[in-house]
Amino acid sequence: MGNFLTSSSIGRKLVMSISGASLVLFLIFHLAMNSTLLFSEESYNLVTEFLGANWYALVGTLVLALGVVVHIFYALILTLQNRRARGNKRYAVTVREEGVSWASKNMFVLGLVIALGLVIHLYNFWWNMQFVEIIGRETNSYGHFPHEGDKMVREIFKSWIYLAIYLVWFAAIWFHLTHGVWSMFQSVGWANKTWYRRLKIGANALSTLIVLGYAAIAIVSFLRANDFCS
């Protein structure tokens, strides 16, 4: 079984699908948690305090980190494999996609943009919140307590540059998800002619809802930080 998952093309795509599915579930959970910020900054602080550096949050962080590493590792393997077999044609599919051919051909580049955005996001929030609590410091580099999530959000999003960076990051995530979610179903044999259109519509709808949710949080946070709204 282990040899199948590491040596065969189908096994590698299966690992990509499983790790990708776990990351999509995390995106949904993370969106639900951060959506509280749209309604109440106090409620958002309660969420950050509840998670903090508690054991379940640390376990979740480690599992997420493992999922990201596995997904990137197998993406590199599949990209090199596809390049050797088909030149620049990547993520070849058995059913030709309509409307998102650019995304299907640039999944690796989109992945790099997403990885870079993730590093920036981790520095802005995880480093200055959960990690500060892990190492036992009372305040972070901005002078805030680790549980003061609302103040951290205002610090970051008072800059339009950060707003732009995050919106570009979200756009890359959207393109990556619209193809990735659909190809995940193909890897397990569901993307036949009967289910193709349904899966594409579902993948696009899910990706759009996730990204619009995150974009709304970023835009509202920018407006609040700059006193455009309360």
Side-chain angles (χ1 to χ4, degrees):
M1 181 65 177
N3 192 48
F4 166 75
L5 294 177
T6 57
S7 301
S8 73
S9 176
I10 296 176
R12 291 167 183 166
K13 289 180 180 179
L14 182 60
V15 173
M16 279 286 290
S17 298
I18 295 173
S19 61
S22 66
L23 295 177
V24 171
L25 290 175
F26 172 77
L27 282 175
I28 296 172
F29 166 76
H30 198 58
L31 176 60
M33 181 188 73
N34 284 277
S35 293
T36 58
L37 190 61
L38 294 173
F39 309 101
S40 169
E41 292 179 315
E42 291 75 15
S43 297
Y44 178 67
N45 284 346
L46 290 176
V47 172
T48 58
E49 184 175 2
F50 172 73
L51 293 175
N54 296 302
W55 69 267
Y56 43 81
L58 294 178
V59 170
T61 300
L62 291 175
V63 172
L64 175 64
L66 177 61
V68 171
V69 170
V70 169
H71 198 72
I72 293 175
F73 177 73
Y74 275 84
L76 287 169
I77 293 177
L78 287 171
T79 298
L80 293 174
Q81 174 186 306
N82 288 340
R83 279 184 171 176
R84 284 197 301 266
R86 306 179 184 89
N88 291 325
K89 294 181 180 179
R90 308 173 190 172
Y91 288 83
V93 296
T94 55
V95 181
R96 182 64 60 184
E97 291 187 79
E98 300 173 2
V100 291
S101 58
W102 183 87
S104 65
K105 293 177 181 178
N106 292 276
M107 286 292 282
F108 185 71
V109 174
L110 290 169
L112 290 178
V113 174
I114 293 170
L116 179 60
L118 179 60
V119 171
I120 295 173
H121 183 66
L122 288 174
Y123 173 75
N124 285 339
F125 293 100
W126 179 80
W127 182 267
N128 282 293
M129 294 174 71
Q130 190 180 70
F131 184 73
V132 167
E133 188 174 351
I134 291 172
I135 63 177
R137 288 177 52 186
E138 291 189 1
T139 58
N140 56 35
S141 57
Y142 289 92
H144 302 310
F145 295 110
H147 297 155
E148 294 180 317
D150 63 324
K151 292 182 180 179
M152 281 303 306
V153 170
R154 285 178 178 266
E155 287 282 359
I156 299 303
F157 284 106
K158 67 183 178 183
S159 168
W160 69 266
I161 296 177
Y162 266 123
L163 175 64
I165 289 173
Y166 272 83
L167 291 179
V168 169
W169 186 36
F170 298 150
I173 291 174
W174 184 86
F175 280 110
H176 198 80
L177 286 178
T178 52
H179 179 74
V181 172
W182 175 84
S183 63
M184 174 181 67
F185 287 109
Q186 178 191 294
S187 296
V188 296
W190 290 4
N192 52 39
K193 291 183 179 180
T194 302
W195 283 94
Y196 169 76
R197 189 171 298 277
R198 299 173 188 175
L199 292 173
K200 279 302 303 173
I201 292 174
N204 288 344
L206 177 63
S207 304
T208 301
L209 287 174
I210 290 174
V211 169
L212 284 180
Y214 281 112
I217 294 170
I219 292 171
V220 169
S221 297
F222 171 79
L223 294 175
R224 283 177 177 166
N226 290 279
D227 297 324
F228 291 115
C229 68
S230 58

